Amino acid sequence: MPVVEKALALWCAVSMPVVGQQALARGDHALAVACMQHAVLFDPTDARLHVLLGTAYEARGEAPRAFAAYDHALRLDPKLAAAYALRGQCHAQGGRPRAGLADLRRAARLQPDNGSLQFGLGRCCLALGEHDEAIRAFDRALSLAPAVELQALCLLYRGNAHVAKGLPRRGLADCARAERLSPKVPGLQVTRGCCYQFQGKLPEARAEYDKALRISPRDVLAYYNRAGTWRDQGRLDRALIDLTAVLRIDPEYATAYRERAVIHAQLGDHVRAIADYSAALRLNLSEASIHVGRGNSYNALQRYGLALGDYRHALRLAPGHAEATRRLIDLLAACPDPRLRNLPGAEEEVNRLSARAPGLQAVCATLAAAHARDGRLEKAVRWQKKAVELLGKEDRDEKQRAELVLRWYRKRKEPKKETRRGEN
């Protein structure tokens, strides 16, 4: 290679990453990508250049290309912690949190003295409900982080982990330490509000959320949590206002749709409830409870076929879901639409349940009533007898009522004696 070309290649390899990083810092993502692409072209074996290219792609919103760049960097250097950390973030943002956690764990093992990596690992563990591991990661980050701001954030997130573990007092202690280190640490009021809310101190929790909203009027989590305090105090109208504010700021906040749907249903507005449950499902919040809730609203609006579909879908997501099972059996046994009524199907569902299944006594009583309605009194007696047997000694009043119903079914079942002519 001529001397001039060697010099040009060396200049590109050295200066292009610098220019690219400067472009990235000032928000010129297109130039950053172009510079990093040229740098990789001149030195394709440098794993760190591929990492820089990935960050440029990510800044430009090209997540698949960013992931590919990090992947390539790790093929070149399987011990590059930064590539694992960044690929882990890509996994998490792409809806693969478990894969992201695995990458962050590798990164933290490769650089155990990196406070930022430990903090990132802690956040990922917290999001996935791995609270003990999250606390350990925040402890390590706290001991390693040189910056006061990062120490305060570690304390704040550790406080969240303590609340999630049911330890609100420790959460409040972490909040107090974080505030002493950095009084303006973001999220302080919301975390402290969560601690109070867990303790049932709803006015105190709401006061913290109010402070958070004065500081940041578009704080979605403050609105969402404040809605919970209003709901728990029975102020459903105020809870609806806060949840609507959440969705105005972030129309893709799936759990806010779910919570608002529940409140609409409690207020008897099943049309709006169905719309919100459906919105939550469109945003991939696939939970059995959502299908059960929407099924109940369909049932209330006499759209029985759709209700049955939702109950069955809930059971596919969570086999043995108590409410979905009970609602499905009730509707199959006693659906007002005779075309959808299916007593054998209801009995099949009951026979699948274990003897300890919650709500089994109630569905047995429902089947008994359905058979009695259709004149099949022998079956009504059999199912009501089972309902009585499932009631324990502690349910004395309920058992007496169930036994009265059983006696009534038996009495109706007995053939009537014919009266002779001429007898008074």
Side-chain angles (χ1 to χ4, degrees):
M1 183 186 289
V3 176
V4 175
E5 287 183 14
K6 282 184 180 179
L8 180 61
L10 181 62
W11 181 84
C12 286
V14 172
S15 65
M16 281 296 174
V18 176
V19 175
Q21 285 177 291
Q22 289 171 349
L24 198 59
R26 64 174 182 269
D28 191 345
H29 302 144
L31 178 59
V33 167
C35 289
M36 298 309 180
Q37 283 173 335
H38 277 87
V40 165
L41 185 64
F42 283 105
D43 191 357
T45 60
D46 189 336
R48 286 173 177 77
L49 292 179
H50 288 276
V51 169
L52 291 172
L53 176 60
T55 57
Y57 279 136
E58 205 168 348
R60 202 164 71 170
E62 298 181 50
R65 284 186 167 186
F67 185 87
Y70 301 141
D71 220 26
H72 192 78
L74 287 167
R75 283 197 294 274
L76 292 169
D77 183 357
K79 293 185 177 181
L80 189 55
Y84 279 118
L86 291 165
R87 192 177 71 172
Q89 289 177 16
C90 273
H91 273 307
Q93 289 164 5
R96 301 176 297 277
R98 288 287 165 190
L101 179 57
D103 272 349
L104 285 166
R105 281 172 175 158
R106 289 190 195 102
R109 280 197 299 271
L110 286 166
Q111 285 191 3
D113 296 333
N114 187 319
S116 296
L117 278 182
Q118 296 295 337
F119 177 66
L121 174 61
R123 286 185 64 183
C124 190
C125 290
L126 181 59
L128 286 169
E130 305 283 350
H131 302 130
D132 289 324
E133 187 178 353
I135 289 169
R136 288 193 296 272
F138 292 132
D139 286 343
R140 289 193 296 271
L142 193 58
S143 65
L144 294 166
V148 169
E149 290 77 10
L150 184 55
Q151 289 177 12
L153 282 172
C154 288
L155 286 164
L156 203 60
Y157 277 93
R158 192 176 71 177
N160 281 315
H162 279 135
V163 175
K165 279 196 61 160
L167 301 168
R169 287 186 181 178
R170 290 190 183 180
L172 285 169
D174 279 342
C175 287
R177 282 185 63 191
E179 189 173 26
R180 284 196 295 272
L181 283 172
S182 178
K184 293 186 179 179
V185 60
L188 174 67
Q189 291 77 20
V190 172
T191 301
R192 193 151 47 201
C194 289
C195 295
Y196 287 134
Q197 195 167 356
F198 191 91
Q199 292 177 322
K201 297 177 179 178
L202 301 182
E204 291 89 339
R206 198 156 49 243
E208 292 296 330
Y209 300 139
D210 290 344
K211 284 181 200 170
L213 288 167
R214 283 196 293 273
I215 296 166
S216 177
R218 293 178 64 81
D219 191 327
V220 167
L221 196 55
Y223 276 118
Y224 182 81
N225 288 353
R226 193 173 70 176
T229 67
W230 288 123
R231 181 201 59 223
D232 292 345
Q233 283 193 318
R235 294 294 307 274
L236 301 185
D237 53 336
R238 300 298 297 267
L240 276 180
I241 291 168
D242 275 348
L243 288 169
T244 302
V246 169
L247 293 168
R248 196 178 297 120
I249 296 165
D250 183 1
E252 296 192 357
Y253 203 113
T255 53
Y257 282 111
R258 179 192 63 197
E259 296 303 317
R260 196 171 69 170
V262 170
I263 292 173
H264 280 313
Q266 287 175 329
L267 293 170
D269 192 344
H270 293 290
V271 173
R272 283 199 173 101
I274 289 167
D276 278 348
Y277 280 130
S278 300
L281 291 169
R282 279 197 303 274
L283 292 167
N284 296 320
L285 191 65
S286 189
E287 295 176 1
S289 60
I290 294 177
H291 286 282
V292 172
R294 190 172 70 171
N296 293 343
S297 287
Y298 278 135
N299 198 4
L301 294 175
Q302 300 179 13
R303 300 170 73 178
Y304 304 116
L306 292 170
L308 284 170
D310 264 332
Y311 297 145
R312 287 190 173 113
H313 197 98
L315 288 169
R316 282 196 291 275
L317 290 172
H321 190 284
E323 189 183 357
T325 302
R326 182 176 60 80
R327 294 280 187 174
L328 177 63
I329 292 168
D330 284 351
L331 198 51
L332 287 172
C335 183
D337 185 344
R339 294 169 300 175
L340 296 173
R341 203 179 301 150
N342 183 358
L343 258 176
E347 289 179 323
E348 234 177 85
E349 293 291 338
V350 174
N351 290 331
R352 286 199 195 103
L353 299 175
S354 70
R356 294 182 181 179
L360 183 57
Q361 186 275 335
V363 296
C364 288
T366 298
L367 287 176
H371 281 300
R373 175 201 61 209
D374 295 343
R376 289 187 286 271
L377 293 164
E378 191 172 330
K379 287 191 173 183
V381 167
R382 180 162 59 85
W383 283 108
Q384 188 64 21
K385 187 179 176 184
K386 187 171 182 180
V388 170
E389 289 168 355
L390 287 166
L391 287 164
K393 291 180 181 178
E394 66 279 4
D395 304 309
R396 188 169 57 186
D397 293 343
E398 184 64 30
K399 194 161 188 170
Q400 284 178 350
R401 284 192 290 270
E403 285 171 342
L404 278 173
V405 174
L406 177 59
R407 284 200 292 272
W408 186 66
Y409 288 156
R410 279 175 171 159
K411 189 175 179 182
R412 285 184 61 195
K413 179 174 164 281
E414 291 171 3
K416 291 181 182 178
K417 293 179 181 177
E418 293 184 11
T419 50
R420 295 178 186 174
R421 272 185 199 175
E423 284 186 0
N424 293 331

